[in-house]
Amino acid sequence: MTARPANAHQARLLRLLRDGGPTSRARLGDRMDLSRSRLAVETDRLLETGLVVADGLAASRGGRRSHNIRLAPGLRFLGVDVGATSIDVAVTSAELEILGHLNQPMDVREGPVAVFEQVLAMAAKLRATGVAEGFDGAGIGVPGPVRFPEGVPVAPPIMPGWDGFPVREALSQELGCPVMVDNDVNLMAMGEQHAGVARSVQDFLCVKIGTGIGCGIVVGGEVYRGTTGSAGDIGHIQVESGPQKRQCACGNRGCLEAHFGGAALARDAEEAARCGRSPELAARLESAGRLSAADVAAAAAAGDTACLELIRAGGNRTGQVIAGLVSFFNPALVVIAGGVTGLGHTLLASIRTQVYRQSLPLATGNLPIVLGELGPVAGVTGAARLISDHLFAPA
Amino acid sequence: MTARPANAHQARLLRLLRDGGPTSRARLGDRMDLSRSRLAVETDRLLETGLVVADGLAASRGGRRSHNIRLAPGLRFLGVDVGATSIDVAVTSAELEILGHLNQPMDVREGPVAVFEQVLAMAAKLRATGVAEGFDGAGIGVPGPVRFPEGVPVAPPIMPGWDGFPVREALSQELGCPVMVDNDVNLMAMGEQHAGVARSVQDFLCVKIGTGIGCGIVVGGEVYRGTTGSAGDIGHIQVESGPQKRQCACGNRGCLEAHFGGAALARDAEEAARCGRSPELAARLESAGRLSAADVAAAAAAGDTACLELIRAGGNRTGQVIAGLVSFFNPALVVIAGGVTGLGHTLLASIRTQVYRQSLPLATGNLPIVLGELGPVAGVTGAARLISDHLFAPA
């Protein structure tokens, strides 16, 4: 894809076709607030670039039947979601439908070179299945703050070796297409906004509870990234001030992430197994040698009270932080997403209890707090959306 | 002022003239990204409406000298800031310069009818000084959440009698001009943005510590009000979970406002006076019969250790909340404003210590935390700005 929209009208047309699929010229006219002749001019120019193609006649609305147009069916985006412990790679159509998706374990601490090698291998494997010949653009999320205009991670606490690495430039050279980089949590929010539970919501928070904890902030339909790209970094909000507060990887003590999230939960689960508080976890630890949040979820589902207590305590602490954010930000929706959502409704109930108890009724009256809908494809969908937003904007 | 800008270009021209004062056509051309002929057309139309007038020749930039234009010198805005315990009313020019300003004590709990009577009396008094014949528009701030599009306070905890009162409509009828209503903290943020310490800052927080505590949120240069108008309601974020937590007026316990702010400080000061911890406060209580934040400030300035301790403890709690907001929102600037800023640098130092200690370096590295510059005219300046934004927008 070498062509780009020449003006804001063409960009808007491309985004409408991305979000709505094949659409008649008549219906586009209704939505664009453009004169019929101007719409025809802009559409014809897009058809000339090849970004848009004719797609048969639309259903009749009375009178002459209108022609459908759609985005070029051969356009392909690559969505990459680098997590702390695994990588998701997906190929999407121009309408951001997932055509192929792979997930592989990978420790982000192995550094950008090793991670890129694996990303490229996964992309090649997807291409070999025939879903794509090449990529017209790629979006990639990384689990840390990103200086967004340059696409460079900056001082990411859990990503040694990545600080200042030119992710955007390097990946763009390897793939031979434009690349955009963002924080993984922002992409998850964009994914849920595009195709998940936050569709058409303008102001919402998407709290990701994975290995760590972060928050995507959407204001007026756009991701808000903050002054230095670190907005939403709620894992390091203090939740404990007493003697119970724990050392966090960031150097402080008492941060939310030190007390909850995948890493904290695995550590607490191993402690519960070792000190005899959970026979279920002890059995799992003995057979696997280590525990994860998934073990806590499984044991809790089997009725293990120690695990239920761990989830409740974590949900309470997370809910306490979210209650503050709800008072501050007054969102229309809070989405809870990420790997730890396997903990399900016990977690959700604890979070809801804290928020509804602590925040004022005016902020919580019509506030849904819900689990994300897209699971493992939220991040890659958001990544494809990110690059399509970039490409479907005036050059 | 019956004329309104006919399109976005005219609106932009009016705002540039408001913010920059008299300006030459040549300089407006540089800033507007409009063709010379189009600029001339739009400027001439504004001259015809009378919103804009010629203002002599500009200084030479070489070649033919350009004509200055400016906003009509007779335009007058009324800015009203209703606080919990006092009312500020000011008259401004079209460039939002304060031409006259009055402050009078008033308890907002006396209800909208009594408050409006006083506001109108103050406005009449200002008019009688000759600074205004009438008003082209008025902005008013109230100390509680506002349903912004309708200009109606909604469930304001410290304003009994105001819930659902049609402030915008009622005041507009009384004054005979357009009125816009907002939360007082949002107006304070807009005031500091227009003429104070936040000039030209796009993303910042303005924390007002008055009788209560609230926060104005500016995103991309615009006030963010939240889904139901309650964004920034940080006075009810919980700061205490242990046995020390205090009952708050909102019905919860442990809220920031229950532990700090003008009301909490007055109560703590009276307690310190009565139980012998502060001879200085005891003397003031005996002579005045009651204490306020101003007494604490004066006693602290005289070296009273109990008062210094009260300020430090309050600053620590406020700083703890702001630290969380800084991690979440990653602002470019934090402004501390409101009546309690009389507590000065002891308060600021405690807040800074907490934020710089608790938030990550990426968010605090270049983050100034400063006192507001405008003091008692921040709110009325923001109120005038609010109505001018409304009037200087396409009708």
Side-chain angles (χ1 to χ4, degrees):
Chain A
M1 171 177 162
T2 46
R4 293 279 289 277
N7 59 41
H9 296 310
Q10 293 181 18
R12 178 108 201 280
L13 279 167
L14 292 173
R15 291 181 187 206
L16 283 173
L17 292 170
R18 175 193 67 188
D19 300 341
T23 309
S24 71
R25 284 176 181 242
R27 190 174 297 272
L28 286 171
D30 296 346
R31 303 206 38 196
M32 284 286 291
D33 197 25
L34 267 191
S35 73
R36 215 166 149 152
S37 57
R38 182 70 189 272
L39 178 70
V41 168
E42 302 298 354
T43 309
D44 289 344
R45 285 194 190 142
L46 285 175
L47 286 162
E48 282 163 26
T49 64
L51 284 172
V52 161
V53 299
D55 194 48
L57 285 173
S60 171
R61 306 202 302 176
R64 256 181 72 200
R65 284 171 69 194
S66 177
H67 283 268
N68 270 343
I69 59 173
R70 57 166 298 184
L71 292 172
L75 286 176
R76 291 293 177 268
F77 297 131
L78 187 71
V80 181
D81 185 7
V82 176
T85 59
S86 70
I87 297 176
D88 284 274
V89 177
V91 174
T92 80
S93 67
E95 288 91 0
L96 312 191
E97 267 181 292
I98 305 273
L99 304 175
H101 173 217
L102 291 173
N103 171 282
Q104 285 182 6
M106 176 82 195
D107 190 333
V108 72
R109 288 172 298 185
E110 295 198 20
V113 175
V115 166
F116 278 12
E117 210 169 279
Q118 183 161 335
V119 165
L120 293 171
M122 291 168 81
K125 202 182 277 183
L126 284 167
R127 211 156 40 196
T129 67
V131 296
E133 288 177 22
F135 302 111
D136 297 288
I140 176 168
V142 295
V146 170
R147 213 157 51 222
F148 186 69
E150 298 94 344
V152 170
V154 43
I158 66 164
M159 299 168 64
W162 287 79
D163 187 15
F165 188 86
V167 171
R168 180 179 185 176
E169 203 185 308
L171 200 61
S172 179
Q173 271 179 14
E174 293 286 352
L175 290 168
C177 67
V179 171
M180 292 291 284
V181 189
D182 205 345
N183 175 266
D184 61 341
V185 186
N186 292 343
L187 294 187
M188 181 164 265
M190 290 175 83
E192 291 290 347
Q193 184 188 22
H194 182 80
V197 72
R199 248 174 316 218
S200 82
V201 182
Q202 290 294 299
D203 301 307
F204 71 96
L205 301 180
C206 179
V207 178
K208 179 180 182 183
I209 312 178
T211 304
I213 299 180
C215 180
I217 308 169
V218 176
V219 179
E222 302 285 331
V223 170
Y224 171 78
R225 295 182 175 86
T227 299
T228 55
S230 78
D233 195 0
I234 65 171
H236 301 285
I237 291 181
Q238 297 220 334
V239 290
E240 280 293 340
S241 52
Q244 294 191 305
K245 68 182 177 183
R246 289 197 187 145
Q247 184 64 43
C248 181
C250 76
N252 274 338
R253 300 168 66 85
C255 300
L256 176 58
E257 234 174 73
H259 291 269
F260 192 56
L265 201 55
R267 188 199 49 210
D268 289 351
E270 293 181 7
E271 193 191 313
R274 289 209 184 87
C275 73
R277 274 187 290 128
S278 165
E280 176 82 25
L281 286 178
R284 287 172 170 268
L285 180 60
E286 200 177 320
S287 75
R290 52 183 294 199
L291 292 175
S292 73
D295 294 299
V296 178
D304 184 282
T305 51
C307 287
L308 286 168
E309 192 37 50
L310 283 179
I311 298 172
R312 270 195 212 106
N316 283 344
R317 287 201 171 95
T318 310
Q320 185 186 326
V321 168
I322 296 177
L325 303 184
V326 164
S327 292
F328 173 74
F329 186 72
N330 187 203
L333 172 71
V334 175
V335 181
I336 311 290
V340 172
T341 53
L343 305 174
H345 287 273
T346 308
L347 176 69
L348 198 59
S350 308
I351 292 175
R352 283 177 173 155
T353 303
Q354 289 300 320
V355 176
Y356 294 141
R357 181 185 293 158
Q358 291 188 20
S359 302
L360 288 188
L362 182 59
T364 59
N366 292 307
L367 177 69
I369 302 176
V370 299
L371 294 178
E373 268 179 6
L374 299 187
V377 299
V380 291
T381 302
R385 160 90 178 221
L386 175 72
I387 187 64
S388 73
D389 275 348
H390 174 71
L391 295 173
F392 295 167
Chain B
M1 172 177 160
T2 48
R4 293 278 288 276
N7 59 39
H9 297 308
Q10 292 181 18
R12 179 107 201 282
L13 278 167
L14 292 173
R15 290 180 188 206
L16 282 174
L17 291 171
R18 174 193 68 189
D19 300 342
T23 310
S24 71
R25 284 177 181 241
R27 190 174 297 272
L28 286 170
D30 297 346
R31 306 211 32 198
M32 284 285 292
D33 197 25
L34 268 190
S35 72
R36 215 165 147 153
S37 57
R38 183 69 189 272
L39 178 72
V41 168
E42 301 299 355
T43 308
D44 289 345
R45 284 195 191 140
L46 285 175
L47 286 163
E48 281 161 27
T49 64
L51 285 172
V52 162
V53 299
D55 194 47
L57 284 174
S60 171
R61 307 202 300 177
R64 254 180 73 199
R65 284 170 71 193
S66 176
H67 282 268
N68 269 343
I69 59 173
R70 59 167 297 180
L71 292 172
L75 286 176
R76 290 292 176 270
F77 297 131
L78 187 70
V80 181
D81 186 6
V82 177
T85 59
S86 70
I87 297 176
D88 285 274
V89 177
V91 175
T92 79
S93 66
E95 288 93 358
L96 313 191
E97 266 180 292
I98 306 272
L99 304 176
H101 174 218
L102 291 173
N103 171 281
Q104 285 183 6
M106 175 84 196
D107 190 333
V108 73
R109 290 172 296 186
E110 294 196 21
V113 175
V115 166
F116 278 13
E117 210 168 281
Q118 183 163 337
V119 166
L120 294 170
M122 291 168 81
K125 202 182 281 186
L126 283 167
R127 211 156 41 197
T129 67
V131 295
E133 286 177 23
F135 302 111
D136 298 286
I140 176 169
V142 295
V146 170
R147 216 161 47 226
F148 186 69
E150 299 93 344
V152 170
V154 43
I158 64 163
M159 299 166 63
W162 288 80
D163 188 15
F165 188 87
V167 172
R168 181 180 183 175
E169 204 184 308
L171 199 60
S172 179
Q173 272 179 12
E174 293 286 352
L175 290 169
C177 66
V179 171
M180 293 291 285
V181 189
D182 204 344
N183 174 267
D184 61 340
V185 187
N186 292 342
L187 294 188
M188 182 166 265
M190 291 176 82
E192 290 290 347
Q193 184 187 22
H194 182 81
V197 72
R199 248 174 315 216
S200 82
V201 182
Q202 290 294 299
D203 302 308
F204 71 95
L205 301 179
C206 179
V207 177
K208 178 181 181 181
I209 311 177
T211 303
I213 299 181
C215 180
I217 308 169
V218 175
V219 179
E222 302 286 330
V223 170
Y224 172 79
R225 297 184 174 85
T227 298
T228 56
S230 79
D233 196 0
I234 65 171
H236 302 284
I237 292 182
Q238 296 219 336
V239 290
E240 280 293 339
S241 52
Q244 293 192 305
K245 68 182 179 184
R246 291 199 186 142
Q247 184 65 44
C248 181
C250 76
N252 274 338
R253 299 167 65 84
C255 301
L256 175 58
E257 234 174 73
H259 292 269
F260 192 56
L265 201 55
R267 187 199 50 210
D268 289 351
E270 292 181 7
E271 195 192 311
R274 289 208 186 87
C275 72
R277 276 188 289 127
S278 166
E280 175 81 28
L281 287 177
R284 287 172 170 269
L285 180 59
E286 201 178 317
S287 75
R290 51 183 296 200
L291 293 175
S292 72
D295 294 299
V296 178
D304 184 282
T305 52
C307 287
L308 285 169
E309 190 39 50
L310 283 178
I311 298 171
R312 272 198 209 103
N316 283 343
R317 287 201 171 95
T318 309
Q320 185 186 327
V321 168
I322 296 177
L325 303 183
V326 165
S327 293
F328 173 74
F329 185 71
N330 187 200
L333 171 72
V334 176
V335 181
I336 310 292
V340 173
T341 52
L343 304 175
H345 287 272
T346 308
L347 175 70
L348 197 59
S350 307
I351 292 175
R352 285 177 172 156
T353 302
Q354 289 300 318
V355 176
Y356 294 141
R357 180 186 291 158
Q358 292 187 22
S359 301
L360 289 188
L362 183 58
T364 58
N366 293 308
L367 176 69
I369 303 175
V370 298
L371 295 177
E373 269 180 4
L374 298 188
V377 299
V380 290
T381 302
R385 161 91 176 218
L386 176 73
I387 187 64
S388 73
D389 275 348
H390 174 71
L391 295 173
F392 294 166

